[in-house]
Amino acid sequence: MGDAQKPLFRRIALIGIGLIGSSVARIAMENGTLAEEVVANARTQKSLDRVVELGIAHRVELDPAKAVEGADCVMLCAPVGAYAALAEQIAPHLAPGCIVTDVGSTKQSVIRDVGPLIPDGVHFVPGHPMAGTEFSGPDSGFSTLFEGRWTLLTPPPGTDEESVEKIAELWRRCGSMIEVMEPAHHDRVVAIVSHLPHLIAFTICGTADDLADESRQQVLKFAAAGFRDFTRIAASDPTMWRDVFLNNREALLEMLARFTEDASAMARAVRWGDASYIEDKIQRSRGIRKSLIELKQA
Ligand code: NAP
């Protein structure tokens, strides 16, 4: 058996076992190369009962402190707003040499909330797999979720390099590609590629819902591809997205301000019949779509 086949960790504790956590759990259980033992924790017993039924962990623990005991890898997979309280609960129970990592969609807030609580002798490697769907909970995960997708790692200065490499290897074994990034840069990038599109989707669905009764029914009846695509994004988990917006406030507001300016420019072009402006914008957008397809990220 080569090095690549040996499990990376003895025991991985997944704190949160929804879409992302249960996808990692499935991979760990299916290929056996992430960890010898998978421990799952959730906020509710109901989710843990489901994890047992699905057979996607060796053991479940409702108490996060118990879940991390003896683990050499702890992965926070809960909504980012829950991280501070979770970190406080688990910190005294982390084994020396353990690597704490996470999958949260915001990175400066995670470093702010979790970093100071990490005890000496424990390593902290924040991460963000750029893969997801609009579904949540332990049933929604699947083992190919991260294939061909990027995982961004944002280790604070001075992070143990061996630990960063181990977490990078974990994600490679999940099928992911790795990029190491500065946390503030991460937050700006995801604000434009992920957080702003969600904000727009939630807003446009709200706008449609606020229409007078008769029009609203027609929106649903004749929902065209454009609106339908927005409703898919807008079906995402409210807790997770509330936490993302509140924990990436500056970057999101900056991108929203830029977007609002550009939307006003487009409104002006429509008002004044500036056909070439409108056409030029659409051409540029098609170029972005084409590049995404070429990069296999569509
Ligand atoms: P999810 O499916 O909603 O699962 C969340 C899990 O966290 C559940 O097991 C939940 O337990 C548990 N949890 C613990 N404390 C919680 C609390 N205070 N409030 C709510 N849930 C709590 O979420 P997810 O989509 O896997 O997202 C998990 C993390 O991944 C988030 O930080 C998110 O930013 C990040 N992320 C998400 C995506 C995506 O597209 N979904 C993509 C990349 C990264 P119960 O089931 O018992 O409630």
Side-chain angles (χ1 to χ4, degrees):
M1 199 191 254
D3 234 20
Q5 307 315 122
K6 277 201 217 143
L8 271 174
F9 295 100
R10 269 190 334 276
R11 182 185 295 170
I12 187 169
L14 299 163
I15 308 301
I17 190 88
L19 171 71
I20 304 293
S22 79
S23 295
V24 173
R26 281 175 170 88
I27 297 166
M29 296 296 279
E30 280 171 24
N31 76 13
T33 68
L34 304 189
E36 282 165 35
E37 190 187 2
V38 179
V39 180
N41 161 264
R43 186 181 40 154
T44 61
Q45 186 60 43
K46 191 168 167 251
S47 291
L48 292 183
D49 290 345
R50 191 63 193 136
V51 167
V52 172
E53 278 166 20
L54 292 165
I56 54 174
H58 295 103
R59 192 153 64 78
V60 296
E61 280 289 354
L62 191 57
D63 179 357
K66 282 213 183 99
V68 304
E69 262 167 23
D72 51 350
C73 182
V74 170
M75 188 181 276
L76 301 175
C77 304
V80 289
Y83 275 19
L86 284 170
E88 238 170 82
Q89 281 176 275
I90 63 171
H93 305 272
L94 294 167
C98 167
I99 303 177
V100 176
T101 185
D102 83 299
V103 300
S105 309
T106 63
K107 292 276 62 82
Q108 291 178 106
S109 78
V110 169
I111 291 169
R112 175 199 68 203
D113 291 348
V114 178
L117 297 167
I118 299 290
D120 285 346
V122 171
H123 308 291
F124 177 42
V125 183
H128 177 200
M130 301 280 292
T133 71
E134 68 276 29
F135 301 108
S136 53
D139 279 282
S140 61
F142 52 100
S143 56
T144 54
L145 177 61
F146 310 110
E147 263 171 33
R149 312 309 304 270
W150 287 96
T151 292
L152 308 179
L153 301 181
T154 62
T159 306
D160 175 52
E161 290 201 3
E162 212 178 295
S163 302
V164 177
E165 177 45 35
K166 251 184 131 172
I167 296 302
E169 179 58 19
L170 180 147
W171 285 110
R172 276 185 220 112
R173 291 185 186 192
C174 292
S176 199
M177 304 167 301
I178 306 297
E179 187 136 323
V180 175
M181 208 178 253
E182 206 263 315
H185 184 63
H186 166 277
D187 286 357
R188 282 169 56 85
V189 169
V190 296
I192 188 70
V193 302
S194 168
H195 304 172
L196 182 61
H198 277 82
L199 185 149
I200 294 169
F202 297 136
T203 308
I204 204 168
C205 288
T207 307
D209 199 42
D210 286 345
L211 293 173
D213 248 7
E214 196 195 13
S215 311
R216 188 193 310 144
Q217 275 157 22
Q218 302 235 311
V219 168
L220 295 178
K221 187 167 170 187
F222 302 123
F227 184 70
R228 263 206 315 264
D229 288 351
F230 278 119
T231 63
R232 185 190 60 74
I233 300 175
S236 302
D237 185 68
T239 308
M240 179 202 138
W241 281 99
R242 175 202 67 194
D243 285 2
V244 169
F245 286 4
L246 295 177
N247 285 283
N248 197 17
R249 190 173 51 192
E250 273 75 32
L252 178 58
L253 290 178
E254 184 199 326
M255 296 307 166
L256 179 61
R258 286 188 181 213
F259 171 80
T260 308
E261 257 179 44
D262 292 344
S264 298
M266 180 61 105
R268 190 180 160 81
V270 171
R271 180 177 307 282
W272 295 101
D274 188 345
S276 66
Y277 180 95
I278 298 169
E279 201 182 323
D280 178 58
K281 285 284 168 198
I282 299 172
Q283 282 295 0
R284 276 176 63 188
S285 310
R286 293 182 78 189
I288 290 183
R289 176 74 191 167
K290 201 162 159 263
S291 313
L292 267 187
I293 293 170
E294 282 162 11
L295 289 167
K296 296 197 168 58
Q297 295 296 313

